[in-house]
Amino acid sequence: MFDLGDFIQASGVMFRTKTGEITLHVHDFKLLAKSVTPLPADKDVTQDDGTVIRYAALESLKYARVSAMPTSPLTRMCARSFRKRATLIKSLRTFLDDHEFLEVETPILQPLYGGAAARPFVTHHNELEQDMYLRISFELYLKRLLVGNIERV
């Protein structure tokens, strides 16, 4: 009925085990949301009657990290940071839009190196059969827009 990653609601009495771990003695529970893709499990045990019991004893470090993410305080902290960043960028875009600025995208790979004194990162574009340079600065493309009489970029 339940898979790893499902959201459930449980009520009961909190207590400490003999080892000091805080635990909930569950009196009632219900399924709130089913996981689309269950989290991976390391250990399946097949009973004599053919039923499979899946344990969440994730010994593989890769799976342990994946399964810990939904409950990790770090994940929640990162989610808050992402939301704050998205809100900040949305506010900045709204402000600049209200003041008639134009948002433009500049190429990331450039055929000619330029724009800063740093050593360029060079890669080869197979389809075009030419070397390309990773953009270091927006400066040259923004200057072209200014020359083209687009001043608020």
Side-chain angles (χ1 to χ4, degrees):
M1 184 165 131
F2 295 118
D3 289 314
L4 289 173
D6 288 350
F7 288 89
I8 63 168
Q9 176 182 336
S11 59
V13 179
M14 297 283 290
F15 70 98
R16 286 192 185 270
T17 63
K18 291 178 184 176
T19 60
E21 186 176 351
I22 297 174
T23 306
L24 178 68
H25 182 88
V26 177
H27 294 292
D28 187 33
F29 63 93
K30 69 177 178 178
L31 180 67
L32 297 177
K34 193 80 175 140
S35 65
V36 176
T37 306
L39 293 171
D42 252 359
K43 196 172 177 182
D44 291 344
V45 176
T46 306
Q47 299 292 330
D48 293 334
D49 62 356
T51 60
V52 176
I53 297 177
R54 179 167 285 178
Y55 292 96
L58 299 174
E59 293 159 6
S60 164
L61 185 58
K62 178 177 82 171
Y63 289 141
R65 286 182 184 152
V66 169
S67 67
M69 284 185 69
T71 58
S72 166
L74 180 61
T75 303
R76 287 193 297 275
M77 183 180 73
C78 288
R80 282 194 300 273
S81 296
F82 290 142
R83 284 188 186 93
K84 285 180 185 177
R85 182 180 184 277
T87 302
L88 176 70
I89 290 173
K90 183 178 178 182
S91 300
L92 183 60
R93 275 198 174 111
T94 301
F95 174 83
L96 293 172
D97 285 344
D98 292 344
H99 289 83
E100 298 180 4
F101 279 83
L102 181 64
E103 182 175 358
V104 296
E105 294 183 18
T106 59
I108 295 172
L109 292 176
Q110 303 173 345
L112 298 173
Y113 165 69
R119 194 178 88 222
F121 173 82
V122 184
T123 188
H124 186 76
H125 194 295
N126 291 331
E127 192 65 30
L128 297 176
E129 295 183 5
Q130 73 179 55
D131 286 341
M132 302 290 280
Y133 302 93
L134 184 66
R135 173 186 67 206
I136 295 173
S137 170
F138 302 98
E139 177 185 358
L140 295 178
Y141 287 94
L142 293 177
K143 283 181 178 178
R144 289 180 187 177
L145 291 167
L146 292 173
V147 169
N149 204 25
I150 301 174
E151 295 179 0
R152 292 176 164 261
V153 291

